[in-house]
Amino acid sequence: MGQWKLNLGIFRRLYLQMKNDILSGDCFCRPLYPDRMILLTLGNIINWSLAIYGCLIQTKDFSSYLLSIFMINLVLYLTFYIIMKLRVGEKILFLPKLYIMLSWVSWGDRKSVV
C-alpha cells in the first residue's frame, strides 16, 4: 500500500486508466485546479526564460547567475503560496506582513547605498 511499482504492468494500468477517463464523458484533460495551473505555468515560463537567457548571454560569473535563479524561484514560490492562501480565504497575519514589508525595504542594492 502506498508504494509505486515500475514494471510491465504499468502500461496496462495506464491504458485502462486512460480508457476509463475517456469513456466517463468528463473532460479528463481539464485541470482540477485551474488557478494553480495558471500560476505554475507562469512560473515554468519564467524558469524557461531564465534558462534561455543563460544560454544566450553566457556570463563569466556563473555563481551570481545561479544565485539569481534561486532567488527568483524563491520569490515565485512565496508569491504562489501567498496567492493560494488568499484564494482559499485565509488571512495573512500581522507578523508575516511585517516581515514581508521589512524584506522589501531592506532589499536595496548595496551599490546604490555605498
Side-chain angles (χ1 to χ4, degrees), residues 4-67:
W4 189 71
K5 295 180 182 178
L6 182 62
N7 55 20
L8 293 178
I10 195 167
F11 298 113
R12 183 172 182 272
R13 290 190 302 270
L14 183 63
Y15 169 74
L16 289 174
Q17 182 67 40
M18 290 177 66
K19 179 180 164 187
N20 288 336
D21 286 345
I22 291 171
L23 293 178
S24 70
D26 287 339
C27 184
F28 65 93
C29 57
R30 194 177 74 209
L32 193 56
Y33 302 104
D35 47 353
R36 287 185 193 174
M37 186 186 138
I38 290 170
L39 290 172
L40 290 174
T41 303
L42 183 65
N44 207 342
I45 289 169
I46 291 172
N47 277 315
W48 276 105
S49 301
L50 289 170
I52 292 169
Y53 174 77
C55 289
L56 296 177
I57 312 295
Q58 295 179 353
T59 61
K60 293 181 181 179
D61 189 13
F62 181 73
S63 59
S64 293
Y65 171 69
L66 195 59
L67 180 63

Side-chain angles (χ1 to χ4, degrees), residues 34-111:
D35 47 353
R36 287 185 193 174
M37 186 186 138
I38 290 170
L39 290 172
L40 290 174
T41 303
L42 183 65
N44 207 342
I45 289 169
I46 291 172
N47 277 315
W48 276 105
S49 301
L50 289 170
I52 292 169
Y53 174 77
C55 289
L56 296 177
I57 312 295
Q58 295 179 353
T59 61
K60 293 181 181 179
D61 189 13
F62 181 73
S63 59
S64 293
Y65 171 69
L66 195 59
L67 180 63
S68 67
I69 290 176
F70 288 146
M71 288 171 57
I72 290 170
N73 277 311
L74 175 67
V75 169
L76 283 172
Y77 172 74
L78 288 175
T79 305
F80 176 80
Y81 181 75
I82 290 171
I83 289 173
M84 286 295 114
K85 273 184 88 68
L86 295 174
R87 185 87 168 103
V88 171
E90 295 183 31
K91 292 189 326 183
I92 299 176
L93 300 176
F94 173 72
L95 202 55
K97 282 182 187 177
L98 177 67
Y99 290 146
I100 290 170
M101 293 299 167
L102 288 174
S103 69
W104 286 348
V105 168
S106 64
W107 192 295
D109 188 15
R110 288 186 179 254
K111 293 176 186 174

